[in-house]
Amino acid sequence: MAPPAPLSLTANPLSLDFGLVAQGGTSAAMTAEIINDGAAPQTLGTLTVGDGFALAVDGCSGQVLAVNQACSIDVTFTPPSMAATVRVR
């Protein structure tokens, strides 16, 4: 039996710079793409973001991405009282 096709997702850009956002303020939305650069279609689960971030537009959750296909998300940032992270699951 042949080994399964390698799976790979890439984010573009790799990071988002929201600049200076005042405590209690919210940044403008920034867009990121998730690209299937693997060798087989991939089904995405539900995207979640960490404290301080919000998905303004979620064009990726539950999508099936063909090879070389991309989807996009728009993310906003509202500074919390501590550091925050975005996670794609």
Side-chain angles (χ1 to χ4, degrees):
M1 179 177 351
L7 300 177
S8 177
L9 293 173
T10 301
N12 183 32
L14 293 175
S15 64
L16 298 173
D17 183 352
F18 293 94
L20 295 175
V21 181
Q23 190 74 30
T26 299
S27 71
M30 298 192 71
T31 301
E33 285 188 322
I34 298 173
I35 305 158
N36 177 3
D37 57 358
Q42 294 193 55
T43 301
L44 301 178
T46 301
L47 272 63
T48 60
V49 293
D51 290 342
F53 294 95
L55 288 173
V57 176
D58 180 359
C60 293
S61 288
Q63 296 295 314
V64 177
L65 296 182
V67 174
N68 295 321
Q69 184 179 9
C71 60
S72 63
I73 58 173
D74 288 354
V75 181
T76 60
F77 177 66
T78 302
S81 58
M82 60 182 171
T85 59
V86 174
R87 298 182 195 275
V88 177
R89 296 177 191 236

